[in-house]
Amino acid sequence: MREALNLAQQAQVCDEVPVGAVIVQDGCIIGKGFNQPIRANDPSAHAEIVAIRLAARHLGNYRMPGTTLFVTLEPCVMCAGAILQARIKRLVFGAHDPSTGAAGSVFNLMSDRRHNHTVEITGGILERECSLLLKEFFRLRR
């Protein structure tokens, strides 16, 4: 999660919402990313999507069983869908997102038994640090 926080700070330096993500398999980082939809002119360039794309290239496969995704903010619906499609085993996130969170705060997409895959979810890891980074970013914008 510390590496995801470092990536979130990189997003902030680029004037992007400070969210960072890391995908780990067998103790090694195989994908990482930070929010960059503004800089990439790509609404799908959320930290999780960037990390998933890199991990898929690394593995040579769009499916990533046995992996864990660490992200500083609870994923949105788009990212939750990508996590399910990638067959990521476990999600660990920092700050809860009471407005668009799709891992339990607003929606609970990844635990829905109607999918053929569910994700183990742990939220609130380094929540204070993750939340403060986001709150400070938006405070400076207002």
Side-chain angles (χ1 to χ4, degrees):
M1 186 59 85
R2 293 270 178 220
E3 180 61 23
L5 267 167
N6 290 337
L7 290 161
Q9 291 167 342
Q10 287 182 33
Q12 185 172 26
V13 168
C14 296
D15 261 350
E16 299 276 3
V17 176
V19 178
V22 173
I23 298 178
V24 174
Q25 183 179 56
D26 299 326
C28 296
I29 294 174
I30 61 167
K32 59 185 177 178
F34 58 85
N35 268 9
Q36 43 194 302
I38 297 167
R39 143 186 192 180
N41 292 312
D42 179 356
S44 70
H46 288 195
E48 301 95 321
I49 302 294
V50 174
I52 287 170
R53 287 175 179 157
L54 290 173
R57 279 190 216 118
H58 173 82
L59 294 172
N61 193 340
Y62 72 100
R63 293 202 170 154
M64 302 165 204
T67 60
T68 300
L69 169 64
F70 294 86
V71 61
T72 57
L73 179 64
E74 180 181 359
C76 69
V77 170
M78 175 184 67
C79 293
I83 292 164
L84 284 166
Q85 293 300 316
R87 304 296 194 268
I88 290 171
K89 180 180 181 180
R90 185 168 176 238
L91 165 69
V92 178
F93 70 87
H96 289 83
D97 186 346
S99 58
T100 64
S105 291
V106 179
F107 305 101
N108 202 359
L109 295 178
M110 291 174 278
S111 296
D112 191 319
R113 295 284 176 201
R114 292 174 288 185
H115 295 293
N116 61 355
H117 174 72
T118 57
V119 179
E120 298 170 22
I121 300 170
T122 304
I125 304 303
L126 298 181
E127 185 167 21
R128 183 174 179 277
E129 294 93 324
C130 294
S131 284
L132 285 174
L133 187 61
L134 287 157
K135 286 176 183 174
E136 182 63 13
F137 176 81
F138 287 114
R139 186 188 68 75
L140 293 171
R141 297 268 169 299
R142 295 185 179 112

